Amino acid sequence: MSVGIHAFGAHVPQLRLERSAIAAAHAWWNPGLIGMAKGQRAMANWDEDAVTMAVEAARDCLGTDSGHALAGVYLASTTMPFQDRQNSGVVAEALSLGPDLLTLDMSGSQRAGTSALTAALQTARGADSPILIVAADKRRARASSSIEMTSGDGAAALLVGPGCGVAQLLGRHTHAVDFVDHYRGQDNEFDYVWEERWTRDEGYMKLVPISAEAAMNEAGVTGTDIDHFCFPAAMRRVAGMLAKKMGIAEDSVRSNLHPEMGEAGAAHAMVMLVHALEAANPGELILVTSFGQGSDALVFEVTDAIKNMRRGRGVTGCLSAGRMENNYMRYLAFNDLIELDRGLRAEVDKQTGMTTLYRNKDMILSLFGGKCRTCGTLQFPKSNICVNPNCGATHSQDDHRFPDTMAKLNSFTADRLTYSPDPPAYYGMVEFIEGGRAMIDFTDVDPVLGLEVGMDMRMVFRVKDYDMMRGFRRYFWKAAPVYKV
Amino acid sequence: MAKGIRDKVAIIGMGCSKFGERWNDNAEDLMLEAFIEAIQDAGVEKNLIEAAWLSTAIEEQHVGKSGIPLAMALRLPYIPVTRVENYCASGSEAFRGAVYAVASGAADMALALGVEKLKDSGYGGLPQRSRGALNDQYWANVSAPGAFAQLAGAYQAKHAIPAHDLKRAMAQISVKSHENGFKNPKAHLRSIIDEDRVLNAPIVAEPLGLFDCCGVSDGAACAIVTTPEIAHSLGKDNLVTVKALQLSVSNGSEAHYNSWDGSYFMTTRVAAERAYMEAGINKPREQISLIEVHDCFSITELITMEDLYISTEGGAVKDVMDGFFNSDGQLPCQIDGGLKCFGHPIGASGLRMIYEMYLQMQGRANKRQVSSDPVFGLTHNLGGFPHQNVCSVVIIGMEGA
């Protein structure tokens, strides 16, 4: 019984921090970093975290035709915003997937992404409905650490299910061993890292081939058959050394995307897999591996179906839509790595009533508004009395989803008075093309390109407020400008 | 339509504290300061006041809830005291309560007092606060300047006015209010500014700069009202009476229904039409002698002139640049400096506007006194945001006019 990948998508935050800016800030302390200072690392906006990036990657994967009855949503991350509130549950709500599915958080290792994928493929084989796997990471790094240089924020999503899909699973293997190249304890903010040469020689080079060769063996293929080899570690040349050891052609080794975005933690193997699928032709073989307390390896064969599938932005689209950021201080502030004087206006209590949120979760998390059965008017928020002054019908509205509806910008401002983690705060009135409007926060506004009345805006799922006092964060939707490239 | 309030109630006493950064006074001190002026002006005993209304908007910053703070600050003799809040229209709302009480015959004499003590927040601008448990979860992160700033772009797009021309007209509005405020000893901001200074000021919320925004002040203002008959029996003549009291409140059309273009105030147009009808005014541009509008931001004042049917739609820029609203123009606007310079202690502002009209009609405005005898004065408040707001329009005038 075959099982495979049916759709894929990704999200890489718009901002790209120049590594040279990081190295320049640390040159007095660690001049050696300049050797790593090439390229950019993807940098989450202040309102992005593993959950919001997962939602955007999942939307890219699923598209707007929400006809998917999913059996599950698995979220893999080592930087889940909540330790005890199911993060995949938030993702499922944002995607309005309904309650009849298994939501599952998977964490604890850099191979959480591929392990979630493995578990999903095993469950989906012979099942009725597909499973969505999303992996996202926004790793916290100490200033001047090598993880700060090598990591980058991002997410990838795969829809797996019975049937060959666009890439059929041929073989897989997990080699689990408690090899600890780094760890992060319960009460620690940052990773503690052991010597990299040991990780390379005893970890990458010895453990990855075990899982990879077992997976290829199960698939009935050898290294020479592999067209796309994905190995997510940031360390230079290791993927090539592994390929050589396993007989994989040098030109089958895929870029670890270090120059463009950096390594996205537990999501990175999946980011690379999605990137490979975007480039793959029918009949090609993809070997994807990961590393973290052992190694996962999976072999896929790309099918003809890939030619006619719907394509989202994907990794390629995201990578071409980056915006350079030269200000290392902004990175520190966005990641709460520096004690910024945020001013008295930042002190407003952000407590969120759980009762309020639960009662209104369709509106807040899924951006549901209403459609009046009497007059057809779309409106947000939904209410028990129609907003159309010529209608006014009561209890006449059905749920209407707004996230995938394009909007036009009606009015806006750039506000330097109100508190924002990234001033000025951009917000304004957007009007949904099919009807309905909202005075709403904006995000990902390019200060050079700016905003213009009448321009297209798309809705994105983001953090609205951080409640620093209680460790909660509010999610809601924002409007982001669509810049014509 | 109902017959309305015209000439049923007279103002017999008004008072207003000095507005500004009153670092060493509590709200109670400001209330008493305004009240003493009003009760002396009225020349009556405090125990003749049979009911009172207190307006504050951000009460958690100073007096707290209820009517008790007013009753205690003035030691009122166990009369009914009601506290009202309706955003920046709160002061006009207190006035409405007192006037209606007298008009209904429920009270022979009533007090409206508004107060706000804003300068205890620790920072400039209005205090940032919760908008409500659910609103906080989905409303945009709006400040007052950010909400009103959006009018400029929409107005500019609708009327095809070059950005610079609009910015200059807005600057002219602030320059004029500073000229007027300079002559007002009770005003918060008393300095002369020029157009360059306005245009080169730091941006608060695009395109509004610092001088496009009104002051945030401490202050109190109050009115004592009674029937014209009682006023006459107290020996008063040349009475200033209430001609119209109107209020219009957004119902969500602007915010949620795709009809409003963001370039004007739906509420102001409705309230103005009703107020003119109530006051018997059919040519406002000719008949109104003085006007005080809610100039929280320069762009608000400009657009409000059209919504009050003083300027034609799209014609306010020309009127402003022609000096139509200057102190020596045909219809002086913000003769006391307005919110811009007199200041904006929210709960007091509506009453402060009526105070200036009342002084002008009695010829008691000293250096600010207009040369011609004012007949009708219009005051306007706008609370909230352009897309959802409360608008009040009050017209007072000489008895019998």
Side-chain angles (χ1 to χ4, degrees):
Chain A
M1 227 181 300
S2 58
V3 66
I5 296 168
H6 291 256
F8 51 82
H11 175 73
V12 181
Q14 183 196 54
L15 293 172
R16 304 298 145 74
L17 180 61
E18 297 278 7
R19 290 195 181 92
S20 57
I22 308 176
H26 298 318
W28 65 279
W29 168 255
N30 185 356
L33 284 176
I34 202 78
M36 306 170 77
K38 293 194 188 68
Q40 298 103 30
R41 52 152 299 160
M43 169 178 153
N45 206 338
W46 69 268
D47 57 1
E48 292 185 283
D49 63 16
V51 162
T52 68
M53 291 192 293
V55 169
E56 291 308 315
R59 294 175 72 201
D60 190 46
C61 172
L62 297 176
T64 53
D65 50 327
S66 54
H68 306 279
L70 299 186
V73 174
Y74 300 177
L75 174 65
S77 177
T78 63
T79 52
M80 305 267 190
F82 287 93
Q83 296 205 34
D84 192 347
R85 175 201 182 182
Q86 202 182 40
N87 299 277
S88 52
V90 180
V91 173
E93 292 284 0
L95 299 169
S96 41
L97 296 173
D100 298 320
L101 78 179
L102 175 65
T103 47
L104 205 56
D105 287 355
M106 295 181 166
S107 188
S109 167
Q110 292 298 303
R111 67 176 165 87
T114 50
S115 297
L117 174 59
T118 300
L121 285 160
Q122 288 178 331
T123 307
R125 195 188 290 276
D128 294 328
S129 311
I131 294 169
L132 177 71
I133 308 100
V134 202
D137 245 341
K138 180 183 169 186
R139 294 181 77 179
R140 270 176 84 70
R142 274 203 179 87
S144 93
S145 63
S146 49
I147 293 175
E148 183 181 48
M149 276 292 196
T150 58
S151 65
D153 307 321
L158 296 167
L159 186 68
V160 303
C164 299
V166 298
Q168 182 188 2
L169 179 70
L170 298 185
R172 56 142 300 265
H173 189 80
T174 294
H175 181 69
V177 52
D178 189 32
F179 182 97
V180 187
D181 60 306
H182 75 274
Y183 62 86
R184 174 158 47 92
Q186 165 98 44
D187 298 322
N188 290 70
E189 270 190 85
F190 302 104
D191 294 353
Y192 189 81
V193 185
W194 213 249
E195 186 177 357
E196 289 174 341
R197 294 173 58 81
W198 173 69
T199 302
R200 181 190 63 195
D201 297 346
E202 295 298 309
Y204 299 155
M205 293 309 297
K206 289 190 178 169
L207 304 180
V208 175
I210 297 174
S211 65
E213 273 160 10
M216 288 192 285
N217 194 35
E218 184 176 301
V221 302
T222 63
T224 53
D225 300 320
I226 299 298
D227 300 290
H228 302 274
F229 172 50
C230 306
F231 176 67
M235 197 185 292
R236 263 178 286 188
R237 290 189 293 277
V238 175
M241 289 159 62
L242 281 169
K244 195 172 178 186
K245 189 170 182 179
M246 296 188 287
I248 299 169
E250 198 181 337
D251 60 5
S252 295
V253 177
R254 293 202 61 88
S255 163
N256 63 358
L257 304 174
H258 179 78
E260 300 94 343
M261 66 171 284
E263 167 263 317
H268 202 57
M270 280 180 45
V271 169
M272 287 180 69
L273 171 57
V274 169
H275 193 230
L277 287 164
E278 288 165 10
N281 297 305
E284 292 181 345
L285 296 186
I286 300 173
L287 168 63
V288 57
T289 56
S290 63
F291 183 81
Q293 291 74 60
S295 170
D296 292 321
L298 302 100
V299 179
F300 293 95
E301 181 178 9
V302 178
T303 72
D304 280 339
I306 204 156
K307 287 191 287 193
N308 300 317
M309 74 178 296
R310 183 201 62 82
R311 296 288 176 112
R313 287 208 315 165
V315 176
T316 311
C318 290
L319 291 184
S320 67
R323 173 157 66 88
M324 290 311 145
E325 174 61 68
N326 281 310
N327 192 341
Y328 175 64
M329 282 300 295
R330 183 176 269 137
Y331 166 82
L332 291 180
F334 280 13
N335 288 278
D336 209 18
L337 293 163
I338 191 167
E339 187 89 18
L340 207 63
D341 179 0
R342 295 179 186 273
L344 272 61
R345 286 179 182 277
E347 293 172 11
V348 176
D349 194 345
K350 300 287 200 304
Q351 188 195 39
T352 300
M354 294 303 122
T355 41
T356 322
L357 176 57
Y358 183 66
R359 189 165 66 239
N360 296 284
K361 70 179 169 50
D362 290 350
M363 166 191 172
I364 300 296
L365 296 178
S366 313
L367 201 67
F368 271 29
K371 181 174 186 177
C372 179
R373 284 186 298 276
T374 306
C375 71
T377 298
L378 296 182
Q379 47 209 285
F380 182 87
K382 181 182 171 184
S383 76
N384 283 329
I385 176 161
C386 181
V387 73
N388 178 355
N390 301 314
C391 176
T394 57
H395 301 94
S396 66
Q397 292 175 42
D398 295 324
D399 284 341
H400 181 87
R401 278 192 86 229
F402 280 97
D404 298 325
T405 314
M406 286 298 280
K408 292 273 180 202
L409 180 55
N410 256 22
S411 66
F412 67 94
T413 189
D415 189 335
R416 291 197 170 272
L417 181 68
T418 197
Y419 169 69
S420 164
D422 187 24
Y426 291 95
Y427 55 84
M429 182 78 84
V430 298
E431 196 163 291
F432 295 101
I433 287 166
E434 295 164 14
R437 54 167 57 180
M439 178 67 72
I440 202 161
D441 288 320
F442 300 164
T443 191
D444 287 353
V445 175
D446 184 324
V448 176
L449 298 175
L451 296 168
E452 209 176 309
V453 169
M455 75 187 297
D456 287 340
M457 305 289 281
R458 60 187 282 269
M459 305 309 293
V460 294
F461 188 72
R462 292 297 171 98
V463 174
K464 176 147 175 58
D465 287 304
Y466 292 94
D467 179 352
M468 300 307 245
M469 204 190 299
R470 305 174 187 84
F472 193 75
R473 56 190 65 186
R474 288 175 182 153
Y475 293 103
F476 187 52
W477 295 79
K478 299 183 184 179
V482 179
Y483 293 115
K484 305 271 185 288
V485 184
Chain B
M1 191 180 163
K3 281 191 289 183
I5 200 74
R6 185 178 175 183
D7 283 339
K8 289 179 179 166
V9 177
I11 304 170
I12 55 162
M14 289 207 74
C16 183
S17 76
K18 167 139 180 51
F19 284 10
E21 290 166 329
R22 300 286 302 262
W23 304 120
N24 296 313
D25 292 293
N26 292 321
E28 288 77 3
D29 302 321
L30 303 174
M31 288 193 253
L32 188 62
E33 184 176 323
F35 179 70
I36 287 172
E37 183 185 346
I39 197 86
Q40 285 174 353
D41 177 33
V44 297
E45 292 297 318
K46 181 167 77 178
N47 60 14
L48 286 180
I49 297 170
E50 294 175 340
W53 273 259
L54 167 66
S55 54
T56 61
I58 309 183
E59 88 288 346
E60 62 269 42
Q61 203 75 39
H62 48 104
V63 295
K65 293 190 185 305
S66 89
I68 298 169
L70 179 63
M72 290 179 69
L74 306 184
R75 306 288 184 217
L76 295 175
Y78 287 86
I79 59 170
V81 183
T82 304
R83 184 227 160 191
V84 293
E85 183 281 317
N86 222 351
Y87 273 148
C88 295
S90 299
S92 299
E93 196 66 272
F95 186 69
R96 207 163 70 104
V99 168
Y100 280 6
V102 168
S104 74
D108 280 344
M109 197 173 289
L111 169 73
L113 189 147
V115 66
E116 213 73 52
K117 175 73 196 169
L118 295 174
K119 296 306 297 179
D120 274 339
S121 64
Y123 50 86
L126 288 176
Q128 201 107 15
R129 57 203 188 278
S130 170
R131 270 75 187 253
L134 178 58
N135 294 339
D136 282 346
Q137 294 188 45
Y138 81 99
W139 278 21
N141 181 18
V142 282
S143 70
F148 284 84
Q150 295 176 49
L151 290 162
Y155 181 88
Q156 203 178 297
K158 184 176 187 179
H159 299 295
I161 292 170
H164 184 69
D165 290 0
L166 183 58
K167 203 48 187 152
R168 277 198 65 206
M170 285 156 57
Q172 197 47 51
I173 284 170
S174 298
V175 168
K176 169 264 301 162
S177 292
H178 274 260
E179 272 172 23
N180 295 346
F182 182 71
K183 297 179 198 158
N184 187 346
K186 287 186 175 178
H188 180 175
L189 303 173
R190 300 190 66 201
S191 59
I192 300 288
I193 56 169
D194 61 18
E195 187 184 291
D196 281 351
R197 189 152 176 221
V198 180
L199 294 178
N200 296 320
I203 292 292
V204 175
E206 284 175 16
L208 302 179
L210 184 64
F211 289 99
D212 290 303
C213 308
C214 75
V216 168
S217 326
D218 304 328
C222 75
I224 297 168
V225 294
T226 187
T227 63
E229 295 73 32
I230 294 171
H232 288 301
S233 75
L234 291 168
K236 297 188 181 283
D237 45 23
N238 295 323
L239 290 183
V240 176
T241 62
V242 181
K243 305 293 183 183
L245 289 176
Q246 288 296 334
L247 199 72
S248 173
V249 178
S250 293
N251 66 8
S253 271
E254 302 101 303
H256 304 141
Y257 187 64
N258 293 3
S259 56
W260 176 67
D261 64 15
S263 73
Y264 65 100
F265 296 93
M266 280 176 66
T267 51
T268 302
R269 293 183 180 186
V270 172
E273 277 177 31
R274 284 205 296 250
Y276 293 141
M277 189 176 290
E278 189 174 24
I281 288 173
N282 48 33
K283 290 179 184 159
R285 189 176 167 100
E286 282 90 53
Q287 287 174 273
I288 305 282
S289 327
L290 278 173
I291 189 163
E292 288 277 340
V293 302
H294 199 83
D295 56 330
C296 49
F297 303 98
S298 54
I299 187 67
T300 320
E301 177 171 331
L302 184 134
I303 285 170
T304 297
M305 291 311 173
E306 298 178 11
D307 293 335
L308 291 172
Y309 305 101
I310 305 293
S311 297
T312 57
E313 212 181 322
V317 168
K318 183 172 185 301
D319 280 344
V320 167
M321 298 311 285
D322 287 349
F324 188 82
F325 302 113
N326 290 356
S327 58
D328 58 355
Q330 279 163 270
L331 176 44
C333 177
Q334 327 298 66
I335 189 75
D336 61 358
L339 299 175
K340 176 74 194 77
C341 293
F342 203 138
H344 187 23
I346 304 172
S349 283
L351 286 156
R352 179 274 298 166
M353 295 174 170
I354 298 168
Y355 171 77
E356 178 70 11
M357 294 290 161
Y358 173 81
L359 291 184
Q360 292 278 356
M361 284 177 191
Q362 299 193 336
R364 292 161 54 194
N366 299 324
K367 285 183 184 167
R368 308 184 304 283
Q369 185 64 46
V370 292
S371 48
S372 57
D373 293 336
V375 179
F376 289 114
L378 183 148
T379 70
H380 158 268
N381 289 122
L382 200 90
F385 312 101
H387 66 285
Q388 47 193 56
N389 62 75
V390 175
C391 174
S392 70
V393 174
V394 174
I395 300 173
I396 63 172
M398 302 312 294
E399 189 185 17

